[in-house]
């Protein structure tokens, strides 16, 4: 299993970073080379994987971006390079833990926030390299908007997993992400339901997503909450969710 690219998205607070970290650790446990990519504005995937030091987001590395883009940032109307060198970035600017490389992208700047074009172009070029050119398993903890994907890049994603919780807001966000993903040509879109409390929660989710779309259900557990609050990382699952996550992981592997 080489060159597999998995993106994980969902609204804030649904547990996608927890699930991203568990998936990264499970692949590493099976002796695969794994690159964990943090594209979430609240970047803490490294923390969840057990890295103590803060990982500086690439988008905040002004000097690096200026050098590679051959421009000065925040200069109105400036020209910049459209095909910057990025293939050395994962090795130079990632942190490692137990053989897993972790890199943080930072938040893509939205329109109306000034001359963000060089930064966004650099990040999208780098994400494109990670998806289209790398031969290891890449797990990407995304924000809900999927802004990090450029034209042509999204089609290289093998699976998009949308994490949702059993709430109207969680389900509505998941539906919006699903539509966005289809619009940018991501073909394989699945759902993991997290923080499920009962069978009635499961039935409510099944009204919006069919069984073939759902990889599995993870239940609310005191162990996960207590572990996170105590800063005890990587997060440990309780017995029930450990079994459920094994089912989810096996289902993902069958799709690859």
């Amino acid at each position: 299993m080489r060159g597999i690219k998995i993106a994980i998205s969902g609204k804030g607070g649904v547990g996608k970073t927890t699930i991203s970290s568990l998936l990264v650790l499970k692949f590493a446990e099976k002796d695969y080379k794994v690159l964990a990519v943090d594209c979430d504005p609240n970047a803490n995937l490294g923390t969840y994987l057990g890295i103590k030091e803060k990982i500086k987001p690439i988008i905040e590395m002004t000097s690096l971006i200026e050098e590679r883009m051959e421009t000065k940032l925040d200069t109105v109307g400036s020209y910049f390079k459209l095909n910057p060198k990025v293939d050395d970035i994962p090795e130079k600017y990632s942190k490692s833990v137990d053989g897993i490389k972790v890199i943080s992208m930072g938040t893509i700047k939205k329109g109306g926030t000034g001359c963000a074009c060089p930064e966004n172009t650099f990040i999208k070029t780098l994400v494109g390299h990670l998806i289209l050119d790398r031969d290891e398993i890449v797990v990407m903890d995304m924000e809900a908007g999927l802004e990090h994907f450029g034209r042509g890049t999204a089609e290289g994603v093998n699976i998009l997993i949308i994490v949702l919780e059993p709430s109207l807001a969680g389900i509505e966000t998941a539906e919006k992400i699903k539509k966005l993903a289809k619009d940018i040509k991501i073909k394989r879109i699945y759902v993991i339901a997290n923080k499920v409390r009962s069978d009635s929660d499961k039935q409510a989710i099944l009204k919006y997503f069919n069984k073939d779309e759902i990889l599995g259900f993870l239940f609310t557990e005191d162990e996960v909450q207590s572990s996170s609050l105590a800063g005890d990382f990587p997060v440990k699952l309780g017995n029930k969710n450990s079994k459920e996550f094994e089912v989810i992981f096996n289902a993902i592997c069958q799709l690859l």
Side-chain angles (χ1 to χ4, degrees):
M1 191 186 298
R2 293 166 59 90
I4 299 300
K5 313 298 161 41
I6 301 172
I8 299 177
S9 188
K11 84 175 188 69
V14 295
K16 58 188 169 56
T17 299
T18 297
I19 290 172
S20 296
S21 67
L22 291 168
L23 191 55
V24 166
L25 291 166
K26 181 61 74 172
F27 276 119
E29 180 185 304
K30 302 293 183 182
D31 293 326
Y32 292 110
K33 275 176 52 180
V34 189
L35 174 63
V37 183
D38 199 338
C39 296
D40 194 291
N42 300 313
N44 53 17
L45 181 57
T47 300
Y48 275 62
L49 290 168
I51 295 177
K52 303 298 183 184
E53 57 188 307
K54 179 73 173 176
I55 301 175
K56 186 175 183 178
I58 298 295
I59 205 166
E60 295 179 9
M61 298 183 183
T62 301
S63 297
L64 172 67
I65 296 173
E66 288 182 339
E67 174 197 336
R68 299 297 175 91
M69 300 301 288
E70 299 180 359
T71 190
K72 286 290 184 182
L73 302 186
D74 299 322
T75 302
V76 177
S78 63
Y79 293 97
F80 55 87
K81 196 169 185 177
L82 295 177
N83 58 339
K85 177 178 173 60
V86 295
D87 60 338
D88 60 334
I89 300 295
E91 278 66 41
K92 286 185 177 179
Y93 298 100
S94 63
K95 302 290 184 183
S96 295
V97 56
D98 297 329
I100 300 165
K101 290 198 293 287
V102 187
I103 189 169
S104 176
M105 295 291 106
T107 305
I108 287 282
K109 298 181 179 181
K110 308 294 193 299
T113 59
C115 184
C117 294
E119 300 101 305
N120 286 359
T121 300
F122 186 75
I123 292 298
K124 287 184 177 182
T125 302
L126 176 54
V127 170
H129 167 69
L130 299 179
I131 291 175
L132 300 176
D133 301 325
R134 304 285 295 191
D135 68 352
E136 74 265 67
I137 292 175
V138 177
V139 178
M140 308 182 73
D141 183 5
M142 310 295 298
E143 59 183 325
L146 305 180
E147 281 87 355
H148 287 75
F149 292 134
R151 182 175 297 174
T153 300
E155 294 185 51
V157 174
N158 298 97
I159 298 176
L160 172 68
I161 298 172
I162 304 171
V163 182
L164 62 84
E165 61 185 2
S167 69
L168 186 59
I171 290 169
E172 287 178 345
T173 301
E175 290 183 313
K176 289 176 183 176
I177 296 169
K178 181 179 175 181
K179 182 181 184 304
L180 282 172
K182 287 184 174 180
D183 288 345
I184 60 175
K185 311 302 182 185
I186 296 178
K187 297 176 181 177
R188 308 176 80 184
I189 306 165
Y190 295 90
V191 168
I192 293 175
N194 192 32
K195 302 182 180 180
V196 174
R197 296 157 297 189
S198 63
D199 283 339
S200 61
D201 281 350
K202 292 174 66 173
Q203 294 307 313
I205 292 167
L206 286 167
K207 290 179 182 178
Y208 296 89
F209 298 91
N210 63 54
K211 289 183 179 180
D212 291 340
E213 293 178 289
I214 299 175
L215 294 171
F217 297 87
L218 294 173
F219 298 86
T220 299
E221 280 190 331
D222 291 337
E223 290 93 333
V224 173
Q225 185 175 7
S226 298
S227 178
S228 298
L229 287 172
D232 181 18
F233 298 107
V235 167
K236 304 294 190 301
L237 295 177
N239 289 334
K240 186 174 184 179
N241 273 345
S242 292
K243 293 175 182 176
E244 293 292 332
F245 190 78
E246 193 69 34
V247 171
I248 289 169
F249 180 76
N250 289 335
I252 291 170
C253 289
Q254 289 174 13
L255 294 169
L256 300 176

